[in-house]
Amino acid sequence: YAIATLAFFAVHFNKPPLYTIENLARSLAFIPYIGDGGQWRPVLGKGWTLNYEMFFYAFFAICLFFNKYIGILLSILSLAIIGFLGYKIRGQTTLDFYFNTIILYFAIGMLVALAAQQKLPFVKNAAIATFISVCIVGLVVLISMSSIPLVFRDFLQLISIFAALYLVCRPETSFKNPLSTSLAGGLGDSSYALYLF
């Protein structure tokens, strides 16, 4: 990210008001600011997702000071509250940037990890969990075509994302071929670099 940001900055250097040393420093330090097009974008626009990711890492690191299960529960509940506050808070301050519904995806990711390790009560039976997941994804696709309030549509979308990711991440889903495994792993490892460039 730093290499891609510096390369992009060098090409656009000294084109006010966006490509300044101050904005470069903010971008490299993952401090959100209003950038290109009046949106929350760093020097390299695609890096905006990393501002949320670094927030999650810092937040999760704090939760490591608690007992494992209390920390996980605290993380998921806090992220859910912050995410749902995103429906109410709309502004132009750095704090407002974090109160966004996108934070809910981090909570979903943690639940998927727990589900894939079969540490959630409703996924102990893999066959039933798979069946329910397929039904949820199908139902959400149908409902998303109808006109329901945004908050309910987003909630259903989060549930379907959880169900779809669970189907991919569950223990029964694996590549048997070593070549497929290394290819998939390599693509996964390089995906963000490919995205940035």
Side-chain angles (χ1 to χ4, degrees):
Y1 171 70
I3 291 168
T5 296
L6 289 168
F8 192 82
F9 183 78
V11 172
H12 295 86
F13 178 63
N14 218 13
K15 290 184 182 174
L18 300 175
Y19 301 103
T20 63
I21 295 296
E22 182 184 358
N23 285 347
L24 175 65
R26 287 178 181 164
S27 297
L28 294 174
F30 305 108
I31 299 170
Y33 65 94
I34 301 292
D36 201 9
Q39 296 180 312
W40 294 96
R41 295 288 183 266
V43 165
L44 181 63
K46 294 176 180 178
W48 69 271
T49 57
L50 282 180
N51 289 333
Y52 286 110
E53 202 163 328
M54 293 303 154
F55 170 76
F56 171 71
Y57 292 149
F59 185 84
F60 190 77
I62 292 168
C63 291
L64 290 175
F65 287 103
F66 296 92
N67 166 285
K68 180 179 178 181
Y69 294 105
I70 291 173
I72 290 171
L73 182 64
L74 184 64
S75 296
I76 292 171
L77 287 177
S78 300
L79 290 168
I81 290 167
I82 291 169
F84 280 113
L85 283 174
Y87 286 104
K88 300 289 183 190
I89 298 173
R90 289 286 184 271
Q92 298 290 305
T93 69
T94 303
L95 185 62
D96 297 330
F97 171 81
Y98 293 108
F99 284 86
N100 189 305
T101 54
I102 202 167
I103 292 292
L104 293 168
Y105 290 99
F106 290 105
I108 291 296
M110 293 178 72
L111 288 171
V112 168
L114 291 172
Q117 297 170 26
Q118 297 182 333
K119 292 184 177 174
L120 293 179
F122 57 88
V123 293
K124 292 291 186 186
N125 185 314
I128 292 173
T130 301
F131 174 75
I132 291 171
S133 296
V134 171
C135 290
I136 288 172
V137 172
L139 181 64
V140 170
V141 168
L142 291 173
I143 291 173
S144 66
M145 295 178 199
S146 64
S147 56
I148 60 173
L150 180 63
V151 65
F152 295 117
R153 207 173 331 140
D154 283 354
F155 182 69
L156 289 169
Q157 185 178 5
L158 284 166
I159 292 172
S160 70
I161 287 169
F162 170 84
L165 287 175
Y166 167 73
L167 290 173
V168 174
C169 298
R170 65 199 177 105
E172 294 79 14
T173 305
S174 63
F175 292 105
K176 302 299 181 190
N177 185 317
L179 179 62
S180 299
T181 303
S182 60
L183 180 62
L187 286 172
D189 291 343
S190 63
S191 64
Y192 199 77
L194 293 171
Y195 168 69
L196 288 177
F197 285 96

